[in-house]
Amino acid sequence: MIKKLKRSCPIYSLVFHMKGTSNWHSLNKDEVEKILNSNLLHGLSDAEAKSRLIKFGYNELIRAKKISPIRIFLSQFKSILIWILLIAIAISLIIGEEIDALVIFIIVMISSILGFVQEYRAERALDALRKMLSPTITVIRDSKEISIPTKEIVPGDIIVLKEGDKIPADARLIEAINLQVNEASLTGESVPVLKNVSTLPIETPLPDRRNMVFSGTEVVSGKGRAIVVATGMSTEFGKIAKFVTIAEKEESPLERRAKEIGKWFGIIALSITALLIFFGIIRGLSIMDIFLFSVALAVAAVPEALPAVVTGSLAIGMYRMARRNALVRKMPAVETLGSVTVICSDKTGTLTKGEMTVRKIYCLNNIIEVSGVGYEPKGDFKSNNPNIVKSEGFKLLMLSSLLCNDAELIHEGGGWKIKGDPTEGALVVAAIKAGFQQDEIRSSYPRIGEIPFSSERKLMTTIHSTPEGDRLICMKGASERVLDRCTYIYSEKGIEEITKDVKDRILKINDEMAKEALRVLAIAYRRVDEVDDNIEGNMIFLGLMGMLDPPREEALRAVEVCKQIGIKPIMITGDHKLTAMAVAKELGIYSEGDIVLTGEELEKMSEEDLEGIVEKVTVYARVSPEHKLKIVKAWKRRGQIVAMTGDGVNDAPALKQADIGVAMGITGTEVTKETADMVLADDNFATIVNAIELGRWIYDNIKKYLTYLLQANFIEVLILSLAVFMGYPTPLLPVHILYVNLATDGLPAIALGVSPPDPDIMRRPPRNPRESIFTKDVKSMILRTIIIGAPFIFWAFLFSLPSGIDLARSRIFTIFVLFELTLAISCRSLKYSIFETKPHKFLLLAIIWEILLLIILLSFPITRHALEIVEIDSYAIWLALILSMITLITMESSKVILRKINYLK
C-alpha cells in the first residue's frame, strides 16, 4: 500500500525520502535533485511550489507564545508574602477592621502593578530588537529568476546567491564561484568559509561542510546557486531553536531567597498567632480580642512593603540597565548577574570585534606592528627601523594590498563597515592607515584583468593599467604559493634575486605569525610593458600581512575587572584552537598552566570527567551547541552561578541552561534574544561588568532593607508577645502597627532600596551561591538592635502604664516611629558608619517627611482619634530622643569596631 501511495503521490514520496535523509553533504548533485524531485536548471514549477508550501508550511521559526498581559499580572500574586497579606485582609474584614483591610489591599495592589508594568514594558521593548531574516530571495521557478518572500521557500527550490544575501534555508550547493559565507552566527567561525560543490564524506562535521549553506548565515563575496533541502524548524537553525525549548530553566538565586524569606516570615507569623490563641483561650479572652491580637501580631511579623520594595529595587535596576544599553527581560536576572561566579562567553563578536584587523607586517626584513582595532582607519606603524614605512618597498606592499582586493571600506551610520570579505577588508584598512585613498588609487590603477582566488590555487592575481602606461600585476595568497611564483624580492637594497634560504626564512616568519593566531597572506607584484602568457611568473616578493579578529578594547578591561573581583571568564568558540588560545591570552583569559579543550576532546569526555577538570579549563575551541550545554552544566554541578554571553544561534541552548543568558541586540539572532534573560543593545561585553556591579548594588540594598525591616518587626513582635504572655494589655493596636509599618517601612525603606553602593562593592569576591541572605552582617545588626531597643521600649511601656493604657500606647507609638527612623539612618550601610557612607538626600528627605507627618498627626484631635491615640506629654519626646541617640551612637561605633577585628569583612 505504501509503495503504491509513493508512486501515485510525488509529495508523499518527497517527504518519505527527506525524513530518512539528513546527510545532504554526502550526496552528489544528481542524487539530491532526484530525492527532492526538482530540476537543477529550471527549478520548480509555480504550481509544484504552492503544493509543497501547503505540505511543508512557511519557512519560518515557530516562536514561543507570548505571555499575555493578564498572565503577567497574575504572576505577581505567586509570592508567599502576598498570600500572607491577603489572609490578613480577610481576617481584618471578618473582625470589622475595614480601614486596616483597605490599607493592606492598597499595598498589595501597588506592589503587583509595579511588577506588572516593568515586566510588560520589558517584553514590549524586546520586540523592537528582533530582526527578521532576509525578507526576499531570488529563486528559479519555471526557468525564470524571480524574487519571493523568504517564508515562501520550499524544499527543492533553486536559490540564487550573491554577495550580501542572508541565506534563508539550508541548501546543497550546485554552483559556487568564489562563494564565501560568514557562518559565525551558526558555527562561531570568525573567518568566512570558502564554499564548493564537491561531495564530502558522510562523517564531515557541520562546520566543515563546504558544499552546504545554512539558514541565518550570510554571503560575503562571490555568487552561487543551491537547492533547498530544509526549511523552517527543519533547518540547523530551527533544530537549535527546538533544542532550546527542551533545556529546563531553574530558579534564580533571588527567587530562591524570596521563598526562604517568605517561608520564615510565614512560620513566625503563624507560630506566634497559634501561641497567642492558645494563651488567649487559657486566660479566658474573648474571641474578638484574640482575633484583634492575631491580626496585630501577623501585621507586625509580616513586612507589608517587602514585595513592593524588592520589586521596586529590581525595577529601578532594570531602568538603570536600560540606560546603560542592557534590556532585562526578567526582573530576577538583575540580581542574579550580581552573584555570577563564571562567565562563559563566545569569542566572535562578543569578546572580539568581529572585524579582521592587520596586526603585524613583515616587509624589507623588518617586523612592523600595526595599532588600531577594527575597521576604523586609525592606527600607527611601529618598527625598529622608522624609515621602513617611508620606503618604496612598503608603499608598494600597501598599494598591491589595496589593488588586489575586492573589498570596500564605507562610512555608514556613524561607523565604518566593510563591503565584501573581512580579510580583504583588513588589507584595505591597513592601506588607508598608511595614507592611501581607496577610490583615488583604484581610479588611477583601473583593473583590466584578474585570475580569481580558488581553494585549489590559494592565490588571487589582478592586472592594472598604470598612470605611466605600463601594467602592474598584483598577487596575494598563501605564503608558500606566492613564494613559488617569486623570482625576486624587494629588499632594503632594492630588487634582488630570491634564494632558497631567503624563502625558508620568510616561511619561518610566516609560521611564527601563524602561531600567534594571525591569518597570514603574502603579497607580490610585477611591472611589465605588456602582459604575456606567464602572468603569475617572475613575481617580486613584497611582504607578509598578518591579521586577526582583535579583542574589543572594552572587553580587555572587562575581563581584567572580572578577574579582580573573583569572576572566572571562560571563552567558548567555534574557532580553531590556535586562534582561540591567542585571543584568550591577549584578553587575559588564558594563562600558562590552563587547559584548552577542543570539541573533539570534549566529545570523548564523560560529564564526570569534565566536571573534574572544568575549573582548570579556560578555553574551549571548535565546539557545538551541545558541547556548550555540557560545559555550563559542569560548572553548575560545581555549585557555581553561570552566565553565558553570545550573539549566535549556537549560543541559545547554553543561554537557556545558564543561570543568566546575555544576548547581543545588534548581531544576535532571534532565537538567542528570545532565550536570553538580558539583551545588550550595544553588543558591548563591558556592559556585563556594569550589570554585575548593578546586580551587587541591588542585592546589597535589598539586604539593607530586609535588615531594617527585620530589626523593627522583630522588636514589635517581641514587645507585643512579652506583654500578652505576661498578662499586660497589648502595647500597640493593629492600627498603630499598620501606621508604624507604613510610615517607617514605606518611604525610608524605599530610600534604602536606592542607596548608593558601598565603597567595596567591586572589590569583593562573588557571593557564595549557597549563602543565605541572612549573612553575618545582617544577623549582627539585628541582634545589636534587639539588645539595645527591646529592653528600653518594654521598660518605657511598663513605666507608662500607671498613667493609663491610652497614654502608654501613645508614648510607645511615638517612640517606635522615631526609633525605627533612626534605624533607617543606621541601615544606610551594614558595614560602614554614617561618617564613611553619609546618608543620601532621598533617605534624609524621607525621614524629615515622616517626622513632619508624625507631628501633624499628634497635633490635631481628628487625626489622634483616627489613630486611637491621645495627646502625648514631654516624657514621650524625651524617651524617644534618648533611645534614638543611644541606638545611633551604639550601632555606628560597633560597625567600626567589628570591621577592625575583621568580623565584618
Side-chain angles (χ1 to χ4, degrees):
M1 179 67 184
I2 290 176
K3 289 181 180 179
K4 183 178 179 182
L5 185 59
K6 284 168 63 180
R7 285 195 300 268
S8 62
C9 181
I11 287 291
Y12 182 90
S13 177
L14 172 61
V15 174
F16 183 86
H17 280 296
M18 287 184 65
K19 282 185 176 179
T21 307
S22 60
N23 301 308
W24 300 100
H25 60 280
S26 65
L27 304 175
N28 63 42
K29 293 184 289 184
D30 295 335
E31 290 173 322
V32 175
E33 179 185 35
K34 184 177 180 181
I35 290 174
L36 293 172
N37 194 22
S38 184
N39 189 298
L40 299 184
L41 291 176
H42 307 295
L44 297 174
S45 67
D46 191 53
E48 177 67 14
K50 287 179 180 178
S51 176
R52 295 189 184 193
L53 186 62
I54 294 171
K55 183 67 182 178
F56 292 100
Y58 283 118
N59 174 40
E60 56 189 7
L61 300 182
I62 298 173
R63 290 187 182 179
K65 289 184 179 179
K66 291 183 180 179
I67 302 175
S68 68
I70 294 174
R71 286 186 64 188
I72 293 175
F73 180 73
L74 293 177
S75 69
Q76 310 303 315
F77 292 87
K78 293 180 179 179
S79 166
I80 284 180
L81 296 176
I82 293 290
W83 278 99
I84 291 175
L85 293 181
L86 292 175
I87 292 169
I89 291 171
I91 294 175
S92 297
L93 289 172
I94 289 169
I95 64 176
E97 296 291 337
E98 290 87 357
I99 294 177
D100 292 359
L102 179 62
V103 171
I104 300 173
F105 177 75
I106 290 170
I107 293 169
V108 170
M109 292 308 297
I110 289 173
S111 169
S112 302
I113 291 170
L114 180 61
F116 163 76
V117 168
Q118 292 300 325
E119 290 194 27
Y120 181 79
R121 287 178 63 189
E123 285 295 327
R124 299 293 76 78
L126 187 70
D127 290 338
L129 285 173
R130 294 190 179 114
K131 292 182 178 179
M132 299 296 289
L133 294 175
S134 179
T136 61
I137 191 72
T138 301
V139 299
I140 299 175
R141 287 189 181 171
D142 292 320
S143 303
K144 297 177 183 177
E145 288 191 7
I146 61 171
S147 182
I148 65 169
T150 56
K151 70 176 186 177
E152 294 181 9
I153 288 175
V154 294
D157 258 326
I158 307 299
I159 55 175
V160 180
L161 303 174
K162 61 183 182 300
E163 186 177 301
D165 279 347
K166 211 162 190 178
I167 295 167
D170 291 0
R172 169 66 159 88
L173 284 165
I174 57 176
E175 180 183 286
I177 303 171
N178 298 324
L179 182 68
Q180 295 193 66
V181 178
N182 184 347
E183 296 183 341
S185 65
L186 183 67
T187 67
E189 177 69 62
S190 60
V191 177
V193 179
L194 183 66
K195 296 293 185 175
N196 58 52
V197 298
S198 303
T199 304
L200 297 172
I202 194 169
E203 66 273 8
T204 305
L206 188 142
D208 296 327
R209 293 176 186 176
R210 302 300 173 93
N211 60 5
M212 298 286 296
V213 288
F214 300 100
S215 172
T217 60
E218 186 176 352
V219 178
V220 295
S221 65
K223 58 185 179 179
R225 290 188 304 147
I227 182 168
V228 174
V229 298
T231 59
M233 297 299 287
S234 298
T235 63
E236 294 298 328
F237 192 108
K239 289 174 186 176
I240 293 175
K242 282 190 285 190
F243 190 53
V244 168
T245 61
I246 295 171
E248 296 178 0
K249 190 69 179 177
E250 299 177 7
E251 285 184 326
S252 73
L254 182 63
E255 291 169 321
R256 291 194 290 267
R257 287 176 176 86
K259 285 189 176 181
E260 176 189 351
I261 295 164
K263 181 184 72 175
W264 282 108
F265 276 132
I267 290 171
I268 291 169
L270 294 174
S271 300
I272 293 175
T273 301
L275 282 172
L276 180 62
I277 292 171
F278 176 73
F279 276 92
I281 292 171
I282 291 176
R283 291 179 55 202
L285 295 176
S286 67
I287 296 297
M288 183 61 69
D289 286 339
I290 290 173
F291 270 121
L292 189 68
F293 293 148
S294 299
V295 172
L297 281 171
V299 169
V302 174
E304 292 93 340
L306 176 63
V309 173
V310 171
T311 304
S313 297
L314 290 171
I316 290 167
M318 291 173 73
Y319 173 72
R320 292 195 175 189
M321 300 229 356
R323 292 179 63 184
R324 298 183 188 184
N325 294 313
L327 174 67
V328 178
R329 298 183 69 239
K330 301 164 189 173
M331 273 194 183
V334 180
E335 181 273 340
T336 307
L337 198 57
S339 64
V340 162
T341 55
V342 178
I343 298 179
C344 298
S345 176
D346 185 55
K347 178 185 77 69
T348 305
T350 308
L351 289 166
T352 65
K353 288 183 70 69
E355 300 174 356
M356 294 294 284
T357 306
V358 173
R359 302 292 292 271
K360 191 172 286 189
I361 298 172
Y362 172 74
C363 179
L364 303 178
N365 203 29
N366 279 265
I367 295 293
I368 304 167
E369 302 284 345
V370 186
S371 65
V373 177
Y375 295 148
E376 186 176 10
K378 291 183 180 179
D380 298 316
F381 299 87
K382 296 179 181 179
S383 172
N384 293 330
N385 184 353
N387 294 321
I388 289 292
V389 295
K390 301 175 184 178
S391 68
E392 188 64 25
F394 180 79
K395 291 177 182 177
L396 280 168
L397 175 64
M398 293 293 106
L399 176 68
S400 300
S401 299
L402 184 56
L403 292 175
C404 189
N405 201 310
D406 291 324
E408 181 183 358
L409 179 67
I410 56 176
H411 192 264
E412 187 177 273
W416 295 93
K417 297 179 181 178
I418 286 293
K419 184 179 178 182
D421 179 71
T423 301
E424 290 194 319
L427 299 179
V428 172
V429 173
I432 295 174
K433 286 179 183 178
F436 288 82
Q437 299 299 319
Q438 59 180 346
D439 294 336
E440 181 183 326
I441 292 296
R442 286 172 174 172
S443 62
S444 299
Y445 295 84
R447 186 183 299 184
I448 59 174
E450 72 174 281
I451 303 176
F453 179 88
S454 71
S455 57
E456 292 78 22
R457 285 170 19 86
K458 295 184 179 179
L459 288 172
M460 176 181 178
T461 303
T462 56
I463 307 164
H464 306 263
S465 59
T466 71
E468 291 79 16
D470 58 356
R471 302 289 182 258
L472 176 66
I473 301 172
C474 302
M475 175 187 288
K476 76 169 187 289
S479 299
E480 63 277 8
R481 299 297 178 90
V482 172
L483 284 170
D484 284 344
R485 287 159 175 79
C486 288
T487 310
Y488 305 95
I489 183 171
Y490 203 109
S491 70
E492 291 173 297
K493 298 176 183 177
I495 299 174
E496 298 180 324
E497 283 194 28
I498 189 167
T499 64
K500 184 179 182 304
D501 290 341
V502 172
K503 287 185 178 181
D504 290 343
R505 186 172 73 246
I506 292 170
L507 289 174
K508 185 179 179 182
I509 292 167
N510 177 87
D511 292 343
E512 289 172 358
M513 291 171 75
K515 287 178 182 177
E516 297 175 31
L518 295 173
R519 188 180 189 193
V520 185
L521 289 177
I523 310 293
Y525 88 110
R526 179 164 67 106
R527 292 189 79 143
V528 295
D529 293 329
E530 291 295 336
V531 178
D532 54 22
D533 292 336
N534 189 22
I535 296 174
E536 294 182 327
N538 298 318
M539 298 296 289
I540 303 167
F541 181 82
L542 288 170
L544 303 175
M545 306 280 277
M547 61 206 77
L548 181 72
D549 180 11
R552 292 177 179 264
E553 290 182 8
E554 57 271 27
L556 287 164
R557 295 190 295 269
V559 169
E560 183 180 357
V561 170
C562 285
K563 298 189 86 170
Q564 286 174 354
I565 61 178
I567 295 173
K568 182 100 172 176
I570 305 296
M571 178 188 287
I572 304 177
T573 177
D575 263 344
H576 292 279
K577 184 175 182 179
L578 210 59
T579 303
M581 279 183 65
V583 175
K585 195 169 185 178
E586 187 169 351
L587 281 163
I589 293 175
Y590 173 81
S591 303
E592 291 300 326
D594 290 345
I595 297 174
V596 179
L597 283 182
T598 63
E600 187 179 350
E601 294 167 334
L602 198 57
E603 188 71 39
K604 297 174 182 177
M605 297 179 71
S606 66
E607 292 187 352
E608 292 73 21
D609 290 340
L610 178 60
E611 186 180 345
I613 65 166
V614 71
E615 293 184 351
K616 298 176 184 177
V617 183
T618 54
V619 180
Y620 297 86
R622 303 297 282 172
V623 297
S624 69
E626 292 82 359
H627 295 145
K628 293 186 176 187
L629 265 177
K630 191 174 181 179
I631 295 160
V632 171
K633 286 180 177 178
W635 274 110
K636 292 183 76 172
R637 284 196 298 272
R638 301 289 295 180
Q640 303 299 322
I641 300 296
V642 184
M644 170 69 187
T645 69
D647 58 355
V649 67
N650 58 319
D651 299 319
L655 261 65
K656 181 84 171 183
Q657 184 65 35
D659 292 286
I660 179 164
V662 185
M664 304 296 124
I666 298 173
T667 59
T669 59
E670 189 174 349
V671 170
T672 313
K673 292 174 194 173
E674 290 279 3
T675 305
D677 299 292
M678 184 168 72
V679 180
L680 302 184
D682 60 355
D683 285 16
N684 193 336
F685 184 82
T687 306
I688 304 294
V689 178
N690 294 333
I692 288 171
E693 181 178 0
L694 195 55
R696 292 182 173 201
W697 170 78
I698 290 167
Y699 185 75
D700 280 1
N701 284 351
I702 290 174
K703 273 177 62 176
K704 293 172 190 176
Y705 162 72
L706 282 172
T707 304
Y708 170 56
L709 215 61
L710 287 170
Q711 289 171 326
N713 288 19
F714 274 160
I715 290 180
E716 289 173 12
V717 170
L718 187 59
I719 298 298
L720 264 67
S721 302
L722 282 173
V724 172
F725 294 151
M726 293 175 68
Y728 294 107
T730 177
L732 292 172
L733 297 174
V735 69
H736 299 153
I737 299 170
L738 274 170
Y739 180 81
V740 170
N741 287 1
L742 280 174
T744 59
D745 302 352
L747 286 178
I750 292 171
L752 286 174
V754 294
S755 294
D758 283 353
D760 66 342
I761 190 165
M762 289 303 279
R763 298 198 298 266
R764 305 193 303 250
R767 298 187 309 276
N768 186 329
R770 300 179 184 87
E771 175 187 90
S772 167
I773 198 166
F774 300 108
T775 51
K776 192 181 289 185
D777 51 355
V778 173
K779 293 175 183 175
S780 169
M781 194 90 166
I782 294 170
L783 184 61
R784 281 176 281 152
T785 304
I786 292 173
I787 291 172
I788 297 165
F792 188 96
I793 295 173
F794 194 67
W795 171 82
F797 174 64
L798 297 179
F799 173 78
S800 301
L801 272 178
S803 303
I805 186 61
D806 290 336
L807 180 60
R809 284 172 175 165
S810 300
R811 285 178 176 176
I812 295 303
F813 170 77
T814 306
I815 289 171
F816 256 117
V817 172
L818 293 178
F819 172 66
E820 293 190 14
L821 291 176
T822 304
L823 292 181
I825 295 174
S826 187
C827 285
R828 161 64 183 85
S829 173
L830 303 183
K831 293 169 60 177
Y832 296 91
S833 72
I834 58 174
F835 303 105
E836 297 167 297
T837 54
K838 294 180 180 179
H840 57 103
K841 182 172 67 174
F842 188 20
L843 179 59
L844 292 175
L845 288 174
I847 290 171
I848 292 169
W849 164 254
E850 296 298 346
I851 291 173
L852 290 173
L853 194 61
L854 177 64
I855 292 170
I856 293 170
L857 292 173
L858 295 174
S859 300
F860 297 98
I862 188 170
T863 52
R864 290 199 299 267
H865 177 71
L867 286 172
E868 299 183 43
I869 56 176
V870 298
E871 188 174 356
I872 61 171
D873 52 15
S874 58
Y875 279 116
I877 304 298
W878 280 110
L879 286 171
L881 290 176
I882 290 170
L883 175 60
S884 298
M885 291 303 297
I886 291 173
T887 301
L888 192 62
I889 293 169
T890 307
M891 296 298 289
E892 298 310 296
S893 58
S894 63
K895 289 179 190 175
V896 177
I897 294 168
L898 290 173
R899 212 168 68 252
K900 281 188 175 179
I901 63 174
N902 210 29
Y903 182 80
L904 297 179
K905 295 182 181 178

